[in-house]
Amino acid sequence: MCEAFVYTDHMTVGYRGRPVVKEAEITIKRGEILTLIGPNGAGKSTLLKSMAGQLALLYGAVYLDGKSVSAMQETELARQVSAVFTDRIRPELMTCFQVAAAGRYPYTGRFGRLSEADMRIVEEALKTVGAGELAERDFMQLSDGQKQRVLLARALCQEPELLLLDEPTSYLDIRHKLEILNVLQRLAREKRLAVILTLHELELAKRISDRIVCVRDGRIDCIGSPEEIVSSGCIGELYGLSRKEYGHVPFMCPELARPVGKPEVFVMGGGGFGISAYRRLQRENVPFAAGILWENDLDYPSACALAAEVVAVPAFETVPEETFLRAKRLMSTCRQFWLCLPRFGELNVRNKELYEAAVRQGLIVTKTFLF
Amino acid sequence: MNRRENLRIYGSYGALSAALLFLLSVNVFCGSVRLTPGEILSQLVGSGEQDMAWSIIWLIRLPRLLGAALLGGALAVSGFLLQTFFANPIAGPFVLGISSGAKLSVSLVMLVLWGRGIFFSSGGMILAAFLGAVVSMGFILLISTRVRRMSVLVLCGVMIGYICSAVTDLLMAFADDANIANLHNWALGSFSGMSWEGLRAAFLAVAPTLFFAFLLSKPIGAYQLGELYARSMGVNTRRLRTELILLSSILSACVTAFAGPVSFVGIAVPHLVKRLLKTAQPVYIIPACALGGAVFCLFCDLIARTLLAPTELSIGSVTAVFGAPIVIFLMLRQGRDEHV
């Protein structure tokens, strides 16, 4: 506990006396990245705003470097904690440099004049986020991705030790999402900033976070490293998705609703080749069967989520006769056979036999090797 | 801040000051009685006799033009503060009904007290106007906790204006003739009632308020990024919001107490000044608004006095002609932005 840079003690947050998240215990070390995830309206932003000192706590306390945040002067707090919020700002006639320079507020004098040193810090911050060349541009003319970078630069100008970001990747395309996260990772590593952010994208949370905090139903559901969170299976619970829906490997591929009915197509996949076929049939609302898959196959989670029936074998085992016959029976009830395997390996001989049987039985065979 | 921007800002200050000086002198000469510079000079050096010209300049024109300059500046800054508060360029003391509240309160005081032969000092008038301004401001704030859309707030402000005018009219129906003439002029809006005594009272109220507003430049600048960011940078936003409301109420109350309702200056001038300086930084904008408001009101007052001389137009009609199109332009621009 003592090595934690920030920790909360029975923190209860909410609006107008109504608690949103109760009894939250969050700790973070310097140089660590902590991500809050959870469904919409779970209270992630409220937690973040409370830790930033924006909202008065309903109960408990937040400690920064051993000192209670509520006991700090506004300026003292602003020199240690800065934030990027989701609220869109519309500053009139302001260049990016001026927007970023606003972050020097807790350091400048009566009229906010920037010293030479302040200017250098602002330029440096813009460079750090890769917005150096935007300095003289009008802020309102920028794209969302550029704006987000400038707002991050503004937060850095406060020279914080704790950086809070509310959904910093929303509205950004995938390249800009990754760029922002790369900058955050660099800041945590090089400047030893403690970073707390909220994210909606689980895949990104898993990549960037040292630890993940799941917020659900007004409390903190579980905390742990991404690996712990993934294997504990609380992600599905978090979003109210059953294992069947979000796939066997948690976190990864949530699928749309399965087509219902008797299978019309038998899809032979494996090694990731099946997934696009499954999804195409889902879009066309055609019920299908999938097989024969090993349970550790890339295609398996999606097949479980989408296929009317799946014929599968435990990992690293040979296909038992009984399973093969079941697959063959299932195939005979279908009208079409989709072959997604570009070749059959030595260990995949049972699938090869199945394919040959399909050809003999006169099923309409489609070959599709799109990944 | 690079050199070109500096040049632009200080150049604009120079231009505004020159315009102010020019309009001040034109306002001295022009009017129902035309005076030549020679006549005025002879008055100033005291060689001429103390005649009517002296009275016209010293007792009528000078207090009036100084009053127009001072109160014009006050209105513009009041508008700028309200725009900061509501984070919207269409906020202003007139459109939000704050001037109307002040007007109603002042007419109440005038009719009730004057009717009993009690005459109020200028300071008392300012106080009455301030109370009225605060009451209508309270209404608008109450509404703004429910609706954030500026167009709705403006509509409510206009409605408040109508209600206040209706009550004022009703009061006037009960007043006796001598009072009405005075009140009627004032209720339409005019700088004609300025006296040296009034000017002094207005100056004592407006000047410190403007100075205090200028001292708030830094937090106002941070507030332009929104309340959340301002607070996270260490601004005590609750205090700042209270200060913005109080300062803008004092300023618009002063104007109303002396000149009645003057429309749209609070919106038009800050907008024009920002375009002129090409910045929105309050450190530069607040003094420029004071200057620009003075120029704008002197110009409008000149037109009001001279266009149909010897009949006077109400100052509100003239400012509306120049100000209202700017307000419409801003509303259209905002409507477009909201749909992007």
Side-chain angles (χ1 to χ4, degrees), chain A residues 46-300:
Chain A
T46 315
L47 274 174
L48 214 61
K49 280 179 192 164
S50 303
M51 295 190 76
Q54 294 275 315
L55 269 179
L57 301 184
L58 300 185
Y59 184 75
V62 180
Y63 292 93
L64 198 94
D65 219 357
K67 202 172 165 188
S68 169
V69 163
S70 56
M72 282 189 193
Q73 291 286 318
E74 287 133 356
T75 306
E76 189 188 354
L77 183 63
R79 287 179 180 187
Q80 295 193 57
V81 182
S82 70
V84 176
F85 299 104
T86 43
D87 299 52
R88 297 209 170 183
I89 64 164
R90 319 177 68 89
E92 214 183 344
L93 299 168
M94 273 176 99
T95 63
C96 294
F97 185 89
Q98 286 168 337
V99 171
R104 295 305 294 161
Y105 188 92
Y107 300 92
T108 53
R110 173 88 242 178
F111 287 102
R113 265 194 99 79
L114 298 174
S115 67
E116 287 290 318
D118 288 324
M119 302 248 199
R120 268 201 306 280
I121 289 168
V122 177
E123 278 162 20
E124 182 67 36
L126 283 169
K127 242 176 250 161
T128 306
V129 301
E133 77 287 358
L134 298 176
E136 293 307 316
R137 292 267 301 278
D138 184 343
F139 183 82
M140 292 305 288
Q141 308 289 329
L142 301 185
S143 70
D144 284 341
Q146 291 169 325
K147 279 182 186 165
Q148 195 68 312
R149 273 188 278 167
V150 173
L151 287 176
L152 180 56
R154 191 214 62 79
L156 293 182
C157 285
Q158 275 176 251
E159 297 186 306
E161 293 173 271
L162 171 64
L163 181 61
L164 304 166
L165 305 105
D166 199 1
E167 292 176 26
T169 55
S170 298
Y171 309 115
L172 304 188
D173 60 41
I174 184 69
R175 198 192 100 202
H176 288 107
K177 282 183 206 284
L178 293 173
E179 277 176 8
I180 285 276
L181 295 184
N182 275 328
V183 172
L184 291 182
Q185 198 165 56
R186 219 168 53 232
L187 288 168
R189 279 182 197 152
E190 290 168 13
K191 304 206 169 168
R192 307 294 296 156
L193 289 187
V195 180
I196 303 183
L197 68 160
T198 65
L199 282 180
H200 269 304
E201 302 92 335
L202 301 175
E203 318 85 75
L204 295 180
K206 194 181 164 191
R207 281 166 177 72
I208 192 170
S209 320
D210 292 309
R211 275 182 313 135
I212 292 179
V213 175
C214 302
V215 187
R216 183 171 70 121
D217 293 343
R219 64 197 173 82
I220 289 184
D221 211 35
C222 47
I223 303 183
S225 66
E227 299 76 28
E228 285 163 357
I229 295 286
V230 168
S231 48
S232 75
C234 65
I235 296 296
E237 269 172 48
L238 192 62
Y239 291 96
L241 293 169
S242 69
R243 275 199 164 214
K244 281 215 145 176
E245 281 163 303
Y246 70 83
H248 185 68
V249 181
F251 246 54
M252 288 328 320
C253 10
E255 300 287 358
L256 295 176
R258 168 201 330 266
V260 279
K262 263 177 62 68
E264 293 172 23
V265 182
F266 190 96
V267 183
M268 178 173 287
F273 285 102
I275 295 175
S276 39
Y278 304 151
R279 289 188 184 153
R280 187 166 145 205
L281 288 164
Q282 193 278 339
R283 287 197 300 277
E284 289 168 7
N285 201 23
V286 178
F288 64 92
I292 301 172
L293 291 170
W294 279 267
E295 283 174 4
N296 62 341
D297 195 285
L298 261 178
D299 287 348
Y300 184 68

Side-chain angles (χ1 to χ4, degrees), chain A residues 268-271 273-274 339-345 367-371:
Chain A
M268 178 173 287
F273 285 102
L339 177 65
C340 305
L341 289 171
R343 60 180 209 93
F344 298 103
K367 293 183 183 176
T368 165
F369 305 138
L370 296 174
F371 203 67

Side-chain angles (χ1 to χ4, degrees), chain A residues 54 74 78 83-85 87 89-93 98 102-103 105-106 108-112 136 151 154 158, chain B residues 1-2 5 214-215 218-219 222 225 228-229 231-236 274-275 278-281 283 333 337:
Chain A
Q54 294 275 315
E74 287 133 356
V84 176
F85 299 104
D87 299 52
I89 64 164
R90 319 177 68 89
E92 214 183 344
L93 299 168
Q98 286 168 337
Y105 188 92
T108 53
R110 173 88 242 178
F111 287 102
E136 293 307 316
L151 287 176
R154 191 214 62 79
Q158 275 176 251
Chain B
M1 179 81 11
N2 61 37
E5 287 162 6
F214 180 64
L215 288 184
K218 186 184 167 188
L225 293 187
L228 267 181
Y229 280 109
R231 211 181 309 146
S232 84
M233 290 188 267
V235 179
N236 184 338
K274 280 182 215 160
R275 299 297 121 183
K278 280 230 164 83
T279 177
Q281 292 181 78
V283 186
R333 195 180 63 170
D337 284 355

Side-chain angles (χ1 to χ4, degrees), chain B residues 143-158:
Chain B
I143 296 166
S144 75
T145 57
R146 293 175 173 269
V147 264
R148 298 295 299 175
R149 295 242 322 264
M150 202 64 213
S151 44
V152 177
L153 291 184
V154 167
L155 212 59
C156 290
V158 172

